Amino acid sequence: MKKMIAAVTSMVMLCGMTSCGTKDEKDSNSKKTVGICMPTAELERWNTDGEYLKNSFEKAGYEVKLTFSNNDATRQNNDVLGILNEGVDLLLIAAVDGNALAKPLDEAMGKGVPVVAYDRLIMNTKAITYYISFDNLEVGKLQGAYIRDALDLDHTSGPYNIEIVSGDSADNNARMFFDGAYDVIQPYIESGKLRILSGNTTFEDTATKGWLTSNAEKDMKKTFGKYYTSEKLDAVLCANDSTALGVTKALAGNYKGNNQPVITGQDGDIDNLKNIIDGKQSMTVFKNVRDEASVAFEVSKRILNGETPTGRLIDSLAVDVRYDTESYQNGAKYVQSYLLVPTVLTKDNLQVMVNTGMYKWDDSGKYIEAVTKAAEK
Ligand code: GAL
């Protein structure tokens, strides 16, 4: 019955995000403005999120103001303040720095503008009404478990050498990815089966500024030069694909070992999918940003209609998501969260990406490319 309701309602949902929608609904929406604030256009996934969110709201008749803040927290503050000054009815924000938005969010609260935290939790403010993301601890656990199983840690004696590459320390997600992964690998580190020769064992030691590929490459080159001139490296736990790309680039010119270390990732970025097919990266954790954006759209739409979404909304969503009120305490409150389910991708199940409709096999049939907007129409 639930599936049937979901199937029927997913048509309604898709209609809500396409040009369908009743004329009255679109007319009433057209008087409302949604501010969408993405952290940067430098990383592949935020362009997809931003475009898809913008299209979803515009197709439903809303006015959209979309900003990308070049991974600069001050700029994002100004972007949000600018949108508030121009007038907005709801803000959807993926924070550059979850601890650096207090000023604009106090102003949003003062103006009664609801704020939805998108993908990254925003800290120390009561202004956040909802949080839409994937289960970030689970993302890390999947990465840690992949390394545990790839090295067969429960049935071999080791020891194995591993390095950890985390995301930007200002991103609350990055800490959760680290915590989730560390939960899985910590027993093996404590037993000595996993060794971290660099000594970089904390989130702060392993953080990568801006999640940038160039920074991950620079940091890993330094680690190879100091600790791996003769030692074998068995695995690198990378928090996402942009950092995994940097590690793969560093390996190419600086690792002396003759083995391919196990390398994890996240996001399913195109270059990393190629590396997975070519055996240069082992896995990525795929998060269908269209699903994440569609949940954000459905929650935001109801807020704009003066409703207060709860767990019951789950039943009408056509994606695998859970409602949670206990996992995300942002320093000021427990934030009502909708957490989607991440998926492990390896070279054996990349068809999952194609099945989303956002990707296709290229002409050679060997690699994957994004479906361009033109092709989507
Ligand atoms: C995280 C996000 C990841 C990854 C990273 C880089 O907050 O959850 O999917 O993309 O940012 O931007």
Side-chain angles (χ1 to χ4, degrees), residues 16 96 105 113 127 145-146 162 186 266 289 318 363 367 374:
V96 171
L105 294 193
V113 175
Y146 187 89
I162 180 174
Q186 186 169 15
Q266 174 187 184
V289 292
D363 295 342
Y367 296 114

Side-chain angles (χ1 to χ4, degrees), residues 17 34-58 64-68 92-95 117-120 132-134 136 173 240 266-269 286-297 340 358-359 373:
M17 291 161 20
V34 176
I36 299 171
C37 306
M38 296 286 108
T40 177
E42 271 188 290
L43 292 172
E44 186 175 313
R45 72 147 296 173
W46 299 115
N47 290 291
T48 309
D49 294 77
E51 261 327 290
Y52 194 68
L53 283 162
K54 181 170 182 288
N55 292 342
S56 303
F57 282 100
E58 284 179 341
V64 172
K65 293 186 164 79
L66 171 64
T67 63
F68 292 89
L92 194 59
I93 303 175
Y118 183 79
D119 195 75
R120 297 173 172 176
I132 317 288
S133 192
F134 280 81
N136 297 301
N173 282 2
N240 90 319
Q266 174 187 184
D267 291 329
D269 290 353
F286 177 57
K287 306 186 317 186
N288 186 326
V289 292
R290 268 190 177 173
D291 288 349
E292 188 174 16
S294 67
V295 174
F297 171 78
L340 291 91
M358 298 163 73
Y359 302 87
K373 288 279 164 287

Side-chain angles (χ1 to χ4, degrees), residues 69-267:
S69 305
N70 201 30
N71 261 340
D72 178 326
T74 304
R75 178 167 162 177
Q76 190 170 55
N77 269 261
N78 296 330
D79 287 341
V80 176
L81 287 169
I83 292 174
L84 281 165
N85 293 336
E86 290 164 7
V88 67
D89 298 289
L90 179 139
L91 283 167
L92 194 59
I93 303 175
V96 171
D97 180 341
N99 282 294
L101 278 167
K103 185 170 181 303
L105 294 193
D106 285 349
E107 179 150 336
M109 209 150 58
K111 291 187 171 184
V113 175
V115 182
V116 176
Y118 183 79
D119 195 75
R120 297 173 172 176
L121 191 60
I122 299 173
M123 312 305 285
N124 306 314
T125 172
K126 289 187 184 291
I128 304 302
T129 51
Y130 289 91
Y131 176 46
I132 317 288
S133 192
F134 280 81
D135 185 333
N136 297 301
L137 270 179
E138 180 62 18
V139 169
K141 286 178 180 169
L142 291 171
Q143 293 168 334
Y146 187 89
I147 287 180
R148 176 197 64 208
D149 300 342
L151 299 180
D152 199 9
L153 295 180
D154 289 335
H155 306 100
T156 58
S157 51
Y160 299 95
N161 296 327
I162 180 174
E163 293 295 332
I164 302 172
V165 178
S166 296
D168 187 300
S169 57
D171 178 355
N172 189 64
N173 282 2
R175 182 175 297 277
M176 302 198 77
F177 302 145
F178 176 88
D179 290 348
Y182 213 78
D183 275 355
V184 174
I185 65 173
Q186 186 169 15
Y188 305 101
I189 293 171
E190 285 169 355
S191 70
K193 193 173 283 191
L194 280 182
R195 304 184 308 180
I196 302 179
L197 300 186
S198 68
N200 294 330
T201 57
T202 66
F203 172 62
E204 288 71 17
D205 289 344
T206 58
T208 307
K209 186 84 186 107
W211 289 90
L212 294 179
T213 296
S214 53
N215 288 335
E217 181 180 4
K218 178 166 53 62
D219 296 345
M220 194 47 64
K221 276 180 181 171
K222 219 183 292 175
T223 299
F224 287 150
K226 282 176 79 174
Y227 302 99
Y228 291 90
T229 48
S230 57
E231 289 286 347
K232 183 183 175 201
L233 176 62
D234 297 288
V236 187
L237 178 73
C238 296
N240 90 319
D241 283 349
S242 60
T243 53
L245 206 54
V247 169
T248 300
K249 288 172 185 235
L251 276 169
N254 304 275
Y255 175 55
K256 306 281 184 266
N258 56 13
N259 68 305
Q260 169 60 50
V262 176
I263 295 181
T264 64
Q266 174 187 184
D267 291 329

